[in-house]
Amino acid sequence: MLLASAGLLLSACGTPQLGKQSIDKVLKAMTLEEKAHFVIGTGMSGNSGGGATVGATDLLLPGAAGTTYPIPRLGIPAIALADGPAGLRIQPIREGDPNTYYCTHFPIGTLLASTWNQELVESVGKAMGEEVHEYGADVYLAPAINIHRHPLNGRNFEYYSEDPVVAGKIGAAYVRGVQSNDVGTSVKHFAFNNQETNRTANNAVISPRAQREIYLKGFEIVVKESDPWTIMSSYNKINGTYTSQSRELLTDILRGDWGYKGLVMTDWYGGDDGAAQIAAGNDMLQPGTDLQYEQIMAAIADGSLTEAELDVCVRRCLELVLRSPKMKGYEFSNKPDLEAHAAVTRQSALEGMVLLENKGVLPLKNVKNVAIFGCTSYAFIAGGTGSGDVNRAYTVSLLDGLKNAGFNVDDSKKDFYEKHIAEEKAAAQAALGNSSLAAFYPIPRPTEIIPSNAELAASARKNDIAIITFGRNSGEFFDRSSADFSLNAGEKQLLNSVTRAFHAAGKKVVVVLNIGGVIETASWKNIPDAILLAWQAGQEGGNSVTDILTGKESPSGKLSMTFPVNLMDHGSSANFPIDAEADVYFPDKRPDLGVKDVDETKYEEGIYVGYRWFDKNNIPVSYPFGYGLSYTTFDYSDFATSLADGKVKVSVKVTNTGSVAGKEAVQVYISAPAGNLDKPVKELKAFAKTNKLAPGESQTLDISFAAADMSSWDESKGGWVLDPGIYKILVGASAADIRAITNVEVK
Ligand code: GLC
């Protein structure tokens, strides 16, 4: 009210007001100092030390990551920016306020990508956006779409895939869903942020071709297919320049080549030169420091930055504020429909779970008594750590999920395990001391307790089946260790002991993987009778897993990244900071000490990331890209491919040839003719998923993509080149299960 009345009063005296007078008029009325402040955030909640002048974010939306700078005399409100890709991140409890502000913990990005279902992801985005809108945030700092260059990247759980088309299409669907609520998104981290080790200063050395075809392509698709309100530039450097200070990236490519019209904000405390960021076209500096204000004012004073350059960024900040719910005076309810969103989480999560092995044991039949093993069965992991975490009200464990479904679960060990887990967590945290980042350090997995043979024999007699859960967690600031990639000794011993006892009693064993990133599977996958990759499914995880185990829904998720036999089989393993000793610097920067893969990482594998690498080098994998089992089977027939008017059209009839209903994700790859460029064996260009098909039911999928999408980036020409010749079109159920190959000719 105060703002509005002040605005009304002042507008009477001719001071232009945002939303009433044109942006040009408001811009003209701003003083240089106001402009320099306006492009800088107002500091980070709880960490506004050194923040810009008007206090911390908590004034606006407690727990939000950042806010913009208000200018009441011009009718410019502050707007709220809040994380994160698996659900809104704000403080759940407020001083002196009897209400709570818990948010829905939706499934992690990797799980959403594993659904291969763009419509579903859009509906999840819509539910997330409702929560953002009703809790009073204006821009949602998501989705995160960086490429899974290496399995040990700590933030892979937030990201979608090793393939840019999956990352782009899923990211675009997510953005459309969120923004359908009139709130903004911030597609991150633009770009080349593919490791956590020394992320705020690491220099990524990448060829122009690998940039364009792999690391930028997903962002290009999102920009062109969903028009995100904002983009978040990344922390790292690209070929020696901070991305947030790279005019080539933020202006020439993002705006010049792709036609992006929205705003770019930095990652939090990213880069080291506020004036260089403005000059590059990084419009907003978050969360905002006083140093950045001084840098901009000094650059204006010495002429290295012109006021016209500053105005370009100020204008985009004004455009962002103008379209915000805050500017529209939206009366948010603080009462989003959490129950409905929990249902969206439960349903969407089960579509992203991937059935890796099934020797006739799933869906469960004639099972009443279930024995559960593994610490994680009692304490399911909803999602990763860091800004991608969510302050949720609850997490449904496997134990809870099985009991909710009416199984008779031996929960006699529940208290014991909860105490064991809590004690080990407390010990791990104590060991971390009171480092400012202690809250972010991923807690090591609790040690597995191996029951005695007598106990196992008794359990195998009493129960119909055994379910073992293995968990992994990771997050922002840290990459995973190489040890984290493999089952540890305790996990292996548990798997062998339980399987020996239950198989001796003629009973089966199911392994559930509650993980956020790829682990080693080849050495042990033939021991249990089934393996369900549940990922980190959000707060309803235990229920979603049970829905799959009982066959309430057939699994239809497929891998959006390769599960290699060995960690070192990845091309990127030769240039990744595996087990690198590197301190965490935040918000200050690590000086360049010349340490390989810490201070500088050379992407020597170029475009050969993920399945592109394994295909090219004929390296066998444990589970291929695009792989996932179902409870039913599908036949692909009636293939038809055409190339006309610059479009490749592929149609395929999918028939459910099994005995239960299910959905099938179909992939379309191309194999380009040899030109003067070395090319991958095949590249994914499009994908689609059927509706739920009843046994015997068919659906014809019409999948299309632009012929130009088959181009390669030719560095000698500095542009895309579509070589003439015969292009193979491969329709597949996975990268290793190609059902049909047809040809189109590019003249
Ligand atoms: C963090 C993350 C980014 C997040 C931002 C605000 O450091 O890198 O993903 O949105 O800062 O919390």
Side-chain angles (χ1 to χ4, degrees):
M1 274 312 287
L2 183 64
L3 192 63
S5 57
L8 280 174
L9 185 68
L10 289 168
S11 66
C13 330
T15 307
Q17 298 296 298
L18 186 65
K20 292 190 176 53
Q21 278 69 42
S22 72
I23 281 190
D24 285 339
K25 286 207 172 70
V26 173
L27 185 56
K28 213 189 292 306
M30 291 171 85
T31 65
L32 174 62
E33 291 72 16
E34 285 174 326
K35 291 178 184 176
H37 277 303
F38 184 53
V39 296
I40 299 173
T42 61
M44 192 171 186
S45 50
N47 179 19
S48 56
T53 51
V54 287
T57 304
D58 285 336
L59 307 176
L60 195 67
L61 178 56
T67 41
T68 59
Y69 184 86
I71 307 178
R73 78 178 188 87
L74 297 169
I76 301 173
I79 70 173
L81 319 173
D83 288 310
L88 182 65
R89 180 175 168 74
I90 55 173
Q91 270 172 2
I93 312 284
R94 293 175 187 169
E95 198 75 29
D97 179 341
N99 300 307
T100 57
Y101 300 84
Y102 289 104
C103 296
T104 305
H105 198 145
F106 291 89
I108 56 171
T110 293
L111 184 149
L112 293 181
S114 303
T115 67
W116 292 73
N117 186 335
Q118 295 166 67
E119 275 168 56
L120 176 79
V121 171
E122 186 162 340
S123 66
V124 174
K126 186 175 178 308
M128 288 172 165
E130 279 165 22
E131 212 154 305
V132 170
H133 204 204
E134 290 313 314
Y135 272 137
D138 299 282
V139 178
Y140 186 42
L141 302 175
I145 68 165
N146 293 93
I147 291 296
H148 289 186
R149 172 177 177 253
H150 192 274
L152 296 185
N153 175 27
R155 290 186 86 170
N156 275 354
F157 77 94
E158 285 187 80
Y159 305 153
Y160 292 143
S161 176
E162 67 191 26
D163 179 90
V165 168
V166 173
K169 294 288 187 182
I170 296 293
Y174 182 107
V175 167
R176 287 193 298 269
V178 170
Q179 296 189 164
S180 68
N181 295 279
D182 281 337
V183 293
T185 56
S186 195
V187 188
K188 66 191 188 181
H189 308 88
F190 190 58
F192 324 115
N193 184 178
N194 304 101
Q195 68 184 57
E196 285 301 290
T197 301
N198 190 29
R199 63 177 179 158
T200 57
N202 174 266
N203 181 30
V205 178
I206 312 176
S207 71
R209 184 177 180 200
Q211 289 182 43
R212 293 279 186 159
E213 292 189 22
I214 303 296
Y215 298 100
L216 295 177
K217 179 54 75 178
F219 288 96
E220 181 181 0
I221 293 169
V222 175
V223 161
K224 290 179 175 175
E225 298 189 8
S226 62
D227 194 15
W229 286 20
T230 80
I231 300 260
M232 185 189 293
S233 56
S234 61
Y235 280 124
N236 54 279
K237 294 171 187 164
I238 173 64
N239 297 338
T241 302
Y242 280 112
T243 58
S244 63
Q245 296 164 197
S246 166
R247 186 163 179 85
E248 180 195 0
L249 181 66
L250 303 183
T251 296
D252 302 343
I253 295 176
L254 179 61
R255 282 142 177 161
D257 292 353
W258 301 348
Y260 181 60
K261 296 278 181 284
L263 172 137
V264 175
M265 68 175 82
T266 63
D267 198 339
W268 267 228
Y269 304 110
D272 65 0
D273 181 341
Q277 286 167 333
I278 295 298
N282 194 114
D283 310 294
M284 185 181 280
L285 318 184
Q286 284 291 345
T289 68
D290 296 332
L291 172 63
Q292 291 165 328
Y293 175 77
E294 286 143 29
Q295 287 169 334
I296 290 171
M297 292 302 280
I300 294 279
D302 71 23
S304 58
L305 181 70
T306 66
E307 190 157 354
E309 285 174 307
L310 178 56
D311 285 354
V312 169
C313 297
V314 171
R315 177 182 300 279
R316 290 190 193 119
C317 293
L318 289 170
E319 285 163 351
L320 177 66
V321 174
L322 187 58
R323 68 193 304 189
S324 70
K326 203 69 90 249
M327 190 71 215
K328 293 172 183 156
Y330 181 69
E331 303 280 332
F332 54 90
S333 66
N334 272 325
K335 293 269 176 277
D337 189 344
L338 298 178
E339 213 171 298
H341 297 169
V344 167
T345 295
R346 175 170 178 167
Q347 180 58 27
S348 58
L350 64 88
E351 263 212 51
M353 295 185 174
V354 184
L355 185 60
L356 297 175
E357 297 291 342
N358 186 20
K359 298 169 190 157
V361 63
L362 295 179
L364 298 176
K365 288 201 173 20
N366 311 321
V367 167
K368 186 69 191 139
N369 304 317
V370 181
I372 58 174
F373 297 94
C375 296
T376 309
S377 290
Y378 297 87
F380 241 41
I381 302 165
T385 57
S387 61
D389 195 359
V390 178
N391 295 314
R392 59 193 170 274
Y394 62 86
T395 304
V396 178
S397 68
L398 177 66
L399 173 58
D400 303 336
L402 290 167
K403 288 169 91 170
N404 293 343
F407 287 102
N408 177 17
V409 193
D410 175 1
D411 63 355
S412 57
K413 290 253 187 328
K414 180 173 187 289
D415 295 345
F416 167 81
Y417 271 101
E418 286 179 349
K419 185 165 168 291
H420 167 65
I421 293 165
E423 279 168 358
E424 293 213 341
K425 185 171 179 177
Q429 276 167 334
L432 289 175
N434 54 7
S435 131
S436 65
L437 293 172
F440 288 110
Y441 277 94
I443 300 295
R445 300 302 308 147
T447 43
E448 297 298 356
I449 311 283
I450 314 301
S452 69
N453 288 340
E455 266 183 282
L456 286 170
S459 178
R461 268 195 307 279
K462 200 168 66 166
N463 291 290
D464 304 316
I465 195 162
I467 301 178
I468 309 172
T469 305
F470 292 129
R472 286 289 181 277
N473 207 356
S474 73
E476 188 173 353
F477 290 103
F478 304 93
D479 290 318
R480 296 165 58 196
S481 65
S482 59
D484 193 68
F485 183 75
S486 306
L487 294 190
N488 60 42
E491 291 167 328
K492 284 178 189 156
Q493 194 183 352
L494 183 66
L495 174 62
N496 288 323
S497 309
V498 170
T499 308
R500 197 169 31 252
F502 274 74
H503 282 179
K507 312 287 177 65
K508 305 274 187 182
V509 176
V510 175
V511 165
V512 172
L513 298 178
N514 181 201
I515 58 179
V518 176
I519 64 168
E520 192 277 329
T521 49
S523 67
W524 58 270
K525 65 186 182 181
N526 294 318
I527 296 174
D529 302 293
I531 303 174
L532 175 64
L533 172 54
W535 292 124
Q536 293 164 351
Q539 63 193 44
E540 290 284 334
N543 284 331
S544 304
V545 167
T546 304
D547 290 343
I548 293 283
L549 296 177
T550 60
K552 183 177 165 203
E553 296 273 351
S554 165
S556 63
K558 293 193 172 183
L559 296 178
S560 59
M561 80 302 283
T562 308
F563 272 60
V565 172
N566 306 299
L567 182 65
M568 300 312 282
D569 289 348
H570 268 281
S572 53
S573 283
N575 295 282
F576 193 82
I578 299 176
D579 302 330
E581 284 311 311
D583 293 336
V584 182
Y585 290 75
F586 190 78
D588 52 358
K589 307 269 189 300
R590 169 189 164 99
D592 184 346
L593 304 175
V595 176
K596 180 180 180 292
D597 304 334
V598 174
D599 296 300
E600 180 165 285
T601 302
K602 291 186 168 61
Y603 287 35
E604 287 184 342
E605 75 283 355
I607 61 171
Y608 295 103
V609 176
Y611 68 87
R612 288 175 169 81
W613 172 266
F614 296 111
D615 281 351
K616 195 79 186 173
N617 296 281
N618 282 315
I619 298 172
V621 300
S622 184
Y623 296 110
F625 175 82
Y627 168 88
L629 299 177
S630 169
Y631 290 154
T632 186
T633 51
F634 295 98
D635 179 57
Y636 291 25
S637 62
D638 300 13
F639 302 95
T641 310
S642 66
L643 168 53
D645 307 327
K647 252 194 176 331
V648 177
K649 292 186 179 167
V650 178
S651 83
V652 52
K653 186 164 97 172
V654 180
T655 304
N656 181 344
T657 49
S659 57
V660 296
K663 297 185 178 184
E664 174 70 350
V666 174
Q667 300 136 45
V668 177
Y669 301 85
I670 65 148
S671 180
N676 60 358
L677 291 172
D678 188 75
K679 292 182 187 173
V681 170
K682 63 175 177 291
E683 303 168 73
L684 182 78
K685 290 300 168 190
F687 58 89
K689 191 167 193 177
T690 67
N691 305 318
K692 187 193 285 192
L693 301 178
E697 191 181 355
S698 298
Q699 180 182 351
T700 294
L701 293 175
D702 292 310
I703 304 169
S704 64
F705 56 90
D709 291 347
M710 302 193 289
S711 309
S712 301
W713 182 267
D714 185 333
E715 294 178 353
S716 66
K717 295 187 170 60
W720 294 100
V721 169
L722 182 61
D723 288 324
I726 301 296
Y727 287 73
K728 291 183 192 156
I729 308 296
L730 300 86
V731 178
S734 83
D737 180 3
I738 300 302
R739 302 291 179 86
I741 299 177
T742 52
N743 294 337
V744 292
E745 181 171 8
V746 172
K747 305 286 182 209

